[in-house]
Amino acid sequence: MTGVAEKAVTRPGVKRIIGIDFDFGSLRTAGPRYWAFVSLLFTLIVLGVTAWGAALSHGGAVMAMRDNYPWGLWFTNYMYYIGLSAGGLVVYASVHLFGAKQFAPLSRLAVLQAGVLVMLALLGIITDMERPWRAVYMLLSPNPSSPFVYTGSAANIYMIICFVDLWILITGKGGHKLAHRMTLIALPFAIYLHTTTAFVLALNKSRELWNSAVMVPIFLTSATASGISLLLICAYIMQRTGVFKFKPSMFRSLATLLATVIITDLFLLAVEIMTVFWPTSAKPGHALRFAEFFTGEYALAFIPVLVLGVGAFALLAGRSTRHLPAVQITASAMYVVAVFLKRYSLMAMGFSTNTLGQYTAPYFPSLTEVLIAVGLLSVGLLIMTLSARVLPLRVPEEELHDADAQDAAAAAGLAVGVG
Amino acid sequence: MSEKTKPVEGQLPEALPPGCTLSRRTFLEGVGATAGLLLAGTVPGLATVASTQAKEPGVPKGNEAIASILEEDGALRYPGHTVDYAEPPGDEKWAMVIDVKACIGCRRCVYACVKENNIGRNSGFTYIQVLEMEAGKIDIEHANLDYDEAGRPDKWYMPVQCMQCAEAPCVYGCPVTATWRDPDGIVVIDYDKCIACRNCITTCPYGARHFNWVEPEVPEEERNPDVPVEAKAGVVEKCTFCIQRTRKGGTTACTEACPVGARKFGDLNDPNSEVSILLKTRRVWRLKEEYGTEPMIWYVG
């Protein structure tokens, strides 16, 4: 491992900071298309910051949120980004915990993606607050009965874990053993984070459609499915741009995992729908509210969730076609969109008819909110774009072979431990 | 009325740091002030060193039926703040009884409330929402909030506002303890502490909490000097049982304004108050009682 690092240091333009070789030299050789993309992202970030300034100076009125929709795009994105980050972690963890060696080349990318996405989720909260500096009260006087305290602290700690983990993976400090231990911390924490995020919705007895324990597993499965989809798409892009080289078997395994998680996700949604409408369990308030998602304006967001979900599963289920990159990318893209719409629908289910029975037309974000969200997304993309060149995300060949042997040993050790 | 508790010596935060009520525009003028604000923000935080002296109320004789509710008044969640524009809480236990048989849905209570509590004329909400209900059932899902004609004989009317719940979901849900239930049962909000996460709006089963999406505008001549205006920009507000009046021995503005006397406001700890007598002698019900929020507004009719 150390031998690899020393070899890298000899290349021009490489600077070693906190033990990581930052390859700034590769930025000089980057083509005009790369820089065009980076400047586009910069423009979007500037627009987003401007929109945030407008929101701070004019108050929440420039947002489309109102009392009937107290949470809007920022919250949808919070759930969505937190969810996406899970997939990365699951894939990364499966390398260590279940000996899924075919995912090993992805580990650094997966952890970076997880950390950046949680960072975006947290920035989304900050940009939504009218007085961001009051966030300090979360530390000064936290209320232990509020789910916000748990999801907020979990997201912060999880972000730190991800970046520390990335550092450990890149520098190779502590070797394979420490990386394995970090997984043991990171994976339960990822599950904890998603559980608490689901609890923000589920622990409200005032909102019937949220107040269901199935919300937690739905969050976990949706999160994992969308995360794996995004990782799959990312891996294809990275391979296409020549950053990475993956074996086809890795994509096949990812696709199989994705199909399994998608069908679990759809199953959970189906049992929830059945419980709300079955004559012996249907409560008028629930049924009336949920019906809006099948027949009303809200169906425009919710029906695609079902169609895209079933479609993505059907694509991946076909034994003869599921190894084709086109099929895998299409199915992944379908599910990434489906989960976003699902997040929106889940949020809207609490708000479409308020607690006093008043129907509200679907929330659609205002320009300010969209600009802020796009600006945030650009921050994430910029980090990923720069990292793809500057950070040593590619796992060295030696380490992969080295890891194979140790993985088997670790898996055996785990099995003994469990037994 | 029973004797008032004296404010705990030395626990009163002096004039709140001006930074806390800073308007949003000022923020843009000098972001550098943020550091100072963070410091200033800790003052109320430190002032929340709980005053454990909050009195055990004790259940007066003759009120056994509601004893369990009164026992709830341990003021456990009372962080020791006083509302800086109201008298400190006394031994009372405020409650309201609304006679829906008498209510004609005229919304005079709504207008009186808006005036009394300096609700922004541009804010787009009122503390009290009067629901026009179909005869024959309590069907909130089909209630009408925007009716034009009041007093229809084929409908009935149910005013809904903050219920000052003993088990308030909003108090449990607030991540920063910016809202709590005072010992006299009034759920109050610290406008200088609210972080605008709006979780309380989501978690309130009565739609009683409202967010100021704009800076509230109240014409200078119509302002009630006892109630803040600027501090409410960008935070959540709600009915406080007219805390600025009731803690000085007055009654709420809505009770005063009701032309048919449908609202009765009083002290549950006083067995001779109107509300105590009504709860004992009439068959009363509470909205969404099955949620276990123990609302302090009873309906009768």
Side-chain angles (χ1 to χ4, degrees), chain A residues 152-237:
Chain A
S153 55
N156 274 299
I157 299 171
Y158 180 78
M159 181 175 75
I160 294 167
I161 289 180
C162 284
F163 287 129
V164 169
D165 209 0
L166 182 67
W167 182 78
I168 289 174
L169 282 177
I170 292 179
T171 57
K173 287 256 160 58
H176 190 74
K177 207 173 206 169
L178 184 60
H180 184 80
R181 287 208 181 124
M182 281 305 282
T183 324
L184 289 180
I185 301 171
L187 188 64
F189 221 87
I191 293 170
Y192 171 70
L193 172 59
H194 292 93
T195 307
T196 51
T197 310
F199 275 166
V200 169
L201 300 187
L203 299 186
N204 285 306
K205 54 188 165 193
S206 57
R207 312 276 170 173
E208 290 88 341
L209 288 182
W210 290 350
N211 193 9
S212 155
V214 82
M215 211 52 115
V216 175
I218 281 194
F219 259 69
L220 284 169
T221 51
S222 302
T224 316
S226 62
I228 296 173
S229 305
L230 186 71
L231 199 64
L232 207 144
I233 295 172
C234 264
Y236 267 117
I237 293 175

Side-chain angles (χ1 to χ4, degrees), chain B residues 145-156:
Chain B
L145 201 57
D146 308 313
Y147 59 88
D148 296 322
E149 189 196 340
R152 284 174 57 172
D154 56 330
K155 307 272 186 191
W156 63 282

Side-chain angles (χ1 to χ4, degrees), chain A residues 2-174:
Chain A
T2 42
V4 179
E6 273 157 24
K7 226 188 294 165
V9 130
T10 55
R11 287 212 315 276
V14 175
K15 278 214 179 75
R16 173 167 277 213
I17 306 166
I18 53 164
I20 298 174
D21 295 320
F22 287 91
D23 188 1
F24 295 110
S26 68
L27 287 180
R28 246 171 266 144
T29 57
R33 270 169 63 194
Y34 182 84
W35 287 112
F37 186 59
V38 168
S39 36
L40 172 73
L41 291 178
F42 260 116
T43 319
L44 291 174
I45 292 171
V46 169
L47 275 176
V49 170
T50 317
W52 184 28
L56 281 173
S57 59
H58 296 115
V62 295
M63 317 253 194
M65 292 179 281
R66 290 297 175 261
D67 278 0
N68 284 345
Y69 266 100
W71 297 337
L73 185 61
W74 72 273
F75 190 72
T76 313
N77 277 342
Y78 180 79
M79 297 187 284
Y80 189 58
Y81 288 148
I82 294 264
L84 285 176
S85 88
L89 238 285
V90 166
V91 169
Y92 162 65
S94 58
V95 176
H96 288 273
L97 294 183
F98 311 113
K101 287 184 291 276
Q102 65 272 34
F103 299 146
L106 271 178
S107 57
R108 292 180 185 182
L109 179 64
V111 174
L112 175 68
Q113 184 187 301
V116 169
L117 283 165
V118 172
M119 191 180 81
L120 293 188
L122 286 167
L123 285 176
I125 300 184
I126 295 292
T127 51
D128 171 70
M129 289 173 73
E130 298 238 339
R131 292 176 183 77
W133 54 88
R134 282 192 188 174
V136 74
Y137 286 124
M138 292 281 263
L139 299 171
L140 290 178
S141 55
N143 182 359
S145 58
S146 171
F148 256 61
V149 170
Y150 297 96
T151 187
S153 55
N156 274 299
I157 299 171
Y158 180 78
M159 181 175 75
I160 294 167
I161 289 180
C162 284
F163 287 129
V164 169
D165 209 0
L166 182 67
W167 182 78
I168 289 174
L169 282 177
I170 292 179
T171 57
K173 287 256 160 58

Side-chain angles (χ1 to χ4, degrees), chain A residues 70-71 130 134 145-146 204, chain B residues 24 172-173 194 197-198 203 288:
Chain A
W71 297 337
E130 298 238 339
R134 282 192 188 174
S145 58
S146 171
N204 285 306
Chain B
R24 284 181 296 265
Y172 285 118
C194 171
C197 71
R198 307 182 283 276
T203 205
K288 303 193 183 182

